[in-house]
């Protein structure tokens, strides 16, 4: 029996908040030199690569509702019995998974059906749809978005280590900016002037949030952000010394106190770079979805499988190449910290469950309610994370910089909603014959599969050119 809609919305909100809060809690767990008065500096759990692997394990948990659906669906059970008797259990289970056929719901980021089928439109009969099912090696296409997900998630995990959780959550609103730009460059989308204005508003919001975060940390510690060791000093070294100096300076800043404003600025840089990889993941997913229809939960599970295997295989190489430069890539140390610290091990399990549940709740809300509801819940989730962070003492209100942070967040929300067509544009309105995206279209374009994990749901709609043209 399907869960009631209020339960789905509440589950999405709670698990979405838990994703970021549990990850930040994990970053704050002490794993070495925890005794008060220790001669050595306290060491927290800071293992972004292990956290990435943990995230993919959570995504792969989405295979559970798929298997349940496969075993309880009479039609799918009948299909499995019609197969050859000698088929293995794995083959029978794989045959039941709803991987789908090519053509339906082809625009996850705004591609019209006409763009997929071409001018002849000869892609609609059942025989050709059957030929387009994602089978065999075609499933391997899901590795490509998983690769970009690995890069983006690892960089975001580093950014979360360096920044307050509220700044981290708000800075991810820059995703719609990169998705919009890349969709124009690589998917040949057409954006109206009001959408470009919305992207400018989003960019301004990210800048204001980042500025507020660094000013708040500077006020808390009494650090002068214009001092040689502050943010301006960091920027100066980058501009004068090039990439090598930037890497050395970034490594030094990452070891500073959590309240250092330069550390926050560096974390925001990592988060913004991560959004480029995540947006690229969206574009690659769009290319795949233009040829194959993949049920969102199945896509999440496949990307979890490919992403987890790739991360696990890459971890030894990352250890050999970078462990001597940064503890972030010290794989044996990370495993030892996980197994020897119960708080870290328990939080890993909770994060996996939270990510898997969040994907299920988020996709269910999209399919049964609307993408507008999901975007609204995602906005409330960001506010919820900030309020919890304030309530447990991770952050503090600092006048007037906290008001500046709220202003930046408001700009992010307005710019995103404006870009998605959820609010009417006040400036640069499209011609009267052009209609804004309506609810059913938003429901389809919002189903970007693996992007919902670890707080990346919502804010994922890129209207296509054909959706805005007059008939």
């Amino acid at each position: 029996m399907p869960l009631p809609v209020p339960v789905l919305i509440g589950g999405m909100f709670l698990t979405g908040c838990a994703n970021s809060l549990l990850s930040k809690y994990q970053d704050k767990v002490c794993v070495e030199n925890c005794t008060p008065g220790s001669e050595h500096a306290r060491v927290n759990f800071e293992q972004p690569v292990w956290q990435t692997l943990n995230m993919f394990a959570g995504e792969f948990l989405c295979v559970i509702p798929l298997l349940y659906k496969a075993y309880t669906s009479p039609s799918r059970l009948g299909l499995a019995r019609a197969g050859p008797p000698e088929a293995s259990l794995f083959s029978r289970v794989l045959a039941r998974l709803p991987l789908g056929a090519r053509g339906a719901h082809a625009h996850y980021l705004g591609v019209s059906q006409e763009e997929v089928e071409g001018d002849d439109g000869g892609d609609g009969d059942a025989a050709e749809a059957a030929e387009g099912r994602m089978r065999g090696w075609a499933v391997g296409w899901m590795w490509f978005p998983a690769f970009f997900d690995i890069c983006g998630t690892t960089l975001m995990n580093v950014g979360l280590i360096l920044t307050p959780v509220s700044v981290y959550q708000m800075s991810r609103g820059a995703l719609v900016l990169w998705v919009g730009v890349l969709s124009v460059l690589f998917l040949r989308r057409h954006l109206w002037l009001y959408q470009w204005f919305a992207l400018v508003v989003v960019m301004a919001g990210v800048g204001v949030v980042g500025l507020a975060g660094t000013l708040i940390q500077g006020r808390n510690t009494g650090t002068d952000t214009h001092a040689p060791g502050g943010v301006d000093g960091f920027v100066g070294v980058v501009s004068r010394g090039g990439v090598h100096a930037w890497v050395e300076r970034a490594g030094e800043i990452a070891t500073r106190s959590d309240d250092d404003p330069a550390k926050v600025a560096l974390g925001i840089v990592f988060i913004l770079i991560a959004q480029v990889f995540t947006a690229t993941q969206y574009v690659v997913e769009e290319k795949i979805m233009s040829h194959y229809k993949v049920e969102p939960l199945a896509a999440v599970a496949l990307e979890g499988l490919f992403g987890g295997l790739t991360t696990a295989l890459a971890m030894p190489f990352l250890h050999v190449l970078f462990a001597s430069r940064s503890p972030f890539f010290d794989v044996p140390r990370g495993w030892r910290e996980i197994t020897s610290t119960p708080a870290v091990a328990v939080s890993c399990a909770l994060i996996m469950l939270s990510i898997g549940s969040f994907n299920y709740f988020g996709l269910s809300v999209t399919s049964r309610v609307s993408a507008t509801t999901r975007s609204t819940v995602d906005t409330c989730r960001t506010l919820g994370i900030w309020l919890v962070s304030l309530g447990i003492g991770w952050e503090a209100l600092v006048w007037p910089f906290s008001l500046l942070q709220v202003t930046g967040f408001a700009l992010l929300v307005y710019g995103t909603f404006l870009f998605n067509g959820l609010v009417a544009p006040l400036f640069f309105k499209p011609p009267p014959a052009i209609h804004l995206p309506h609810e059913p279209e938003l429901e389809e374009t919002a189903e970007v599969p693996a992007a919902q994990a670890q707080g990346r749901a919502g804010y994922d709609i890129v209207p296509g050119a054909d959706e805005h043209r007059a008939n």
Side-chain angles (χ1 to χ4, degrees):
M1 186 176 100
L3 293 175
V5 171
V7 174
L8 295 176
I9 294 176
M12 178 186 172
F13 175 79
L14 293 177
T15 56
C17 291
N19 288 340
S20 296
L21 292 172
L22 285 172
S23 297
K24 189 61 179 179
Y25 165 78
Q26 194 176 64
D27 293 337
K28 290 178 171 291
V29 173
C30 180
V31 291
E32 296 180 23
N33 307 323
C34 304
T35 305
S38 175
E39 297 179 358
H40 302 284
R42 169 189 170 107
V43 177
N44 293 338
F45 181 78
E46 298 179 346
Q47 297 291 334
V49 179
W50 277 105
Q51 289 176 323
T52 298
L53 182 62
N54 193 47
M55 185 272 292
F56 282 115
E59 286 188 350
F60 185 68
L61 290 180
C62 288
V63 76
I64 295 176
L66 285 174
L67 292 175
Y68 176 78
K69 180 179 179 180
Y71 278 105
T72 57
S73 174
S75 60
R76 297 188 187 281
L77 289 173
L79 178 63
R81 295 191 187 100
E86 66 276 8
S88 66
L89 175 63
F90 176 77
S91 299
R92 294 197 302 271
V93 171
L94 186 62
R96 299 176 190 176
L97 293 181
L99 295 180
R102 180 175 60 188
H105 297 284
H107 55 284
Y108 276 80
L109 295 179
V111 174
S112 65
Q113 186 70 22
E114 289 76 11
E115 287 175 304
V116 177
E117 296 177 353
D119 296 334
D120 55 358
D123 195 47
D125 61 289
E128 292 192 32
E131 292 178 0
R133 291 181 64 88
M134 183 174 278
R135 296 172 175 169
W137 291 107
V139 177
W141 285 111
M142 300 306 297
W143 177 86
F144 292 96
F147 170 77
F148 290 106
D149 200 5
I150 292 171
C151 300
T153 300
T154 303
L155 288 173
M156 282 195 292
N157 288 334
V158 174
L160 180 58
I161 292 173
L162 303 178
T163 61
V165 65
S166 68
V167 175
Y168 160 82
Q169 188 73 24
M170 295 178 188
S171 298
R172 285 206 307 258
L175 178 60
V176 69
L177 170 65
W178 299 118
V179 171
V181 171
L182 292 180
S183 67
V184 171
L185 294 178
F186 298 105
L187 299 179
R188 293 180 290 181
R189 295 288 184 271
H190 170 76
L191 298 182
W192 297 100
L193 191 56
Y194 81 90
Q195 292 176 305
W196 286 110
F197 175 74
L199 295 182
V200 173
V201 173
V202 169
M203 185 169 57
V206 172
V208 172
V209 167
L211 175 63
T214 56
L215 292 176
I216 289 173
Q217 298 303 93
R219 174 67 67 85
N220 289 338
T221 58
T223 304
D224 183 3
T225 57
H226 297 282
V231 177
D232 288 358
F234 169 70
V235 174
V237 170
V238 173
S239 61
R240 292 193 303 268
V243 176
H244 181 69
W246 188 90
V247 172
E248 291 186 352
R249 187 63 166 168
E252 186 271 325
I253 291 176
T255 60
R256 295 184 185 178
S257 167
D258 291 341
D259 295 328
D260 192 286
K263 189 173 183 178
V264 175
L266 178 63
I268 294 173
V269 170
F270 278 115
I271 295 170
L272 295 181
I273 296 174
Q275 303 314 300
V276 179
F277 285 100
T278 304
T280 306
Q281 174 193 344
Y282 276 42
V283 172
V284 174
E285 285 173 346
E286 156 61 16
K287 288 293 186 182
I288 296 173
M289 300 305 173
S290 66
H291 295 284
Y292 300 96
K293 176 185 178 292
V294 185
E295 183 173 321
L297 275 177
V300 173
L302 287 172
E303 289 192 18
L305 174 64
F306 288 125
L309 291 176
T310 303
T311 303
L313 292 174
M315 289 171 77
F317 298 97
L318 294 173
H319 175 78
V320 172
L321 296 174
F322 302 111
S324 60
R325 303 180 184 181
S326 172
F328 291 172
F329 302 99
D330 194 333
V331 176
R333 178 179 180 178
W335 175 252
R336 184 174 64 252
E337 292 172 352
I338 294 173
T339 55
S340 63
T341 310
V344 175
V346 171
S347 61
C348 283
L350 292 177
I351 289 171
M352 280 194 295
L353 292 175
S354 178
I355 289 173
S357 302
F358 181 70
N359 278 279
Y360 173 77
F361 287 129
L363 293 172
S364 298
V365 167
T366 299
S367 61
R368 293 185 55 189
V369 189
S370 68
T372 306
T373 302
R374 195 179 71 183
S375 295
T376 303
V377 173
D378 197 66
T379 301
C380 296
R381 182 169 61 91
T382 302
L383 289 176
I385 290 171
W386 192 21
L387 292 176
V388 172
S389 182
L390 291 171
I392 61 180
W394 287 354
E395 300 179 46
L397 292 174
V398 178
W399 179 263
F401 303 134
S402 293
L403 182 60
L404 188 65
Q405 187 175 358
V406 173
T407 302
F409 175 64
L411 289 173
L412 278 171
V413 174
Y414 175 73
T416 301
F417 280 20
L418 177 62
F419 181 83
N420 292 343
L422 302 182
V423 297
L426 300 177
F427 307 101
F428 311 115
K429 295 183 179 181
I434 305 302
H435 63 84
L436 294 178
H438 54 73
E439 193 66 16
E441 291 175 334
L442 288 175
E443 288 181 9
E444 292 181 357
T445 58
E447 292 179 353
V448 179
Q452 286 79 20
Q454 207 160 2
R456 299 194 299 281
Y459 303 175
D460 55 7
I461 303 147
V462 180
D466 289 347
E467 295 177 340
H468 298 285
R469 292 173 184 161
N471 295 327

